[in-house]
Amino acid sequence: MMVVMAGKATEEQIKHVVDKIEQSGAKAHLSQGKYKTVIGAIGDITLIDRDVLKGFGGVEDVVSISKPYKLVSLEFKREPTEIKVGNAVIGGDNFTVMAGPCSIETEEQAMQAAQVVKKAGAQIIRGGAFKPRTSPYSFQGLGAEGLKILKNISNETGLPVVTEVLDPRDAELVAENADIMQIGARNMQNFTLLTEVGATKKPILLKKSFSCTVEELFMAAEYILKTGNEKVILCERGIRTFEPYTRNTLDLSAIPLIKSLSHLPIIVDPSHATGKRELIEPLSLAALAAGAHGIMVEMHPAPEEALCDGPQSLTSAQFNELMEKVKKLAKFLGKQGNFDGTS
Ligand code: PEP
Ligand code: MN
């Protein structure tokens, strides 16, 4: 249920509604829009009398949210959520490029990649310190040492960093070293982890599982928003189909679909979606044209030597070319983007 406050509602009137909701045993979630405040009553709402609430001062309307996800839904919040990270804004009319190696291997490799990423005009550096590998015998990432490298390259370049957190016990450590915390596809429904990262109040990049539905993605995001952290960026990274020529199948329809149901930003990862570097550029441009708020792309200064995901990593030259095309198309589509590499 949500209580829509009139544009002129006072602080006291808002507090009165919040107190009433909480006294009834539900949780009140405030969403302060440009013109109106909406208060979501989440949880057990059986003891809330709608008609009584309707009569409260400053209340314009009391309406139900029909979907199983509440805080994530466009019904709850009509305005698109925009998340500011460094000089980039993710969501709304903005297009953001996050790029870097699959995993942080050495300080030198990470720094080389970050310099290319910055110079080409991308806004955020990516790189895994904790890697979720299918095989326990594959390179698992540098862990805490990788986070230190990421922090150094972020300080050096001035670009914010996105990196994955695999374990709730590492949430604090990752939060201290990263600007955006990534939840990987394999952990999309790790509800303990979602609650833990939500509590850090950092922006969260939530990747859609290759075997989950859009509704399940929203329910996962709801776990984070329920902690009071609205800074969630959704990411389509390919789903499992019967096509073996690509690593996954990029579900482009998820972009307009998600935008029609949720206020949260949605970005696309064409690297994990395809597993093939030659497919990254067309799918990045397709994602932009389909309305995505950004892309996350793997690039490596020497992909043939990469310890992880080399075949899907762009070379520096390919990344530069991609950025030129992204900037042109973004401009054509009237998107905003701080592509000058000076953030
Ligand atoms: C990644 O982005 O590093 C990653 C492992 O992706 P995914 O969780 O989508 O497989
Ligand atoms: Mn990867």
Side-chain angles (χ1 to χ4, degrees), residues 102 126 131-132 164 182 184-186 207 237 269 272 296 298:
C102 179
R126 69 146 283 148
K131 292 304 305 171
E164 182 164 353
Q182 177 174 328
R186 290 156 191 81
K207 299 190 84 175
R237 46 76 74 210
D269 170 353
H272 293 89
M296 182 158 83
E298 286 185 342

Side-chain angles (χ1 to χ4, degrees), residues 14-57:
I14 294 171
K15 186 172 178 311
H16 192 201
V17 172
V18 168
D19 289 347
K20 182 71 189 167
I21 291 171
E22 305 230 308
Q23 279 156 18
S24 311
K27 185 120 186 56
H29 281 265
L30 235 68
S31 168
Q32 239 123 17
K34 249 189 220 145
Y35 308 106
K36 277 179 190 170
T37 297
V38 173
I39 307 162
I42 309 292
D44 184 1
I45 55 168
T46 44
L47 293 179
I48 301 177
D49 187 327
R50 225 167 255 255
D51 293 328
V52 170
L53 264 189
K54 263 191 184 167
F56 273 35

Side-chain angles (χ1 to χ4, degrees), residues 168-210:
R169 290 167 297 186
D170 296 324
E172 274 307 317
L173 182 67
V174 176
E176 280 162 24
N177 290 283
D179 300 281
I180 304 176
M181 297 167 81
Q182 177 174 328
I183 300 294
R186 290 156 191 81
N187 267 321
M188 188 199 92
Q189 288 188 308
N190 183 336
F191 303 120
T192 318
L193 183 60
L194 297 174
T195 304
E196 206 67 35
V197 295
T200 67
K201 302 290 181 261
K202 282 270 176 177
I204 310 296
L205 175 65
L206 178 62
K207 299 190 84 175
K208 183 169 174 287
S209 160
F210 37 80

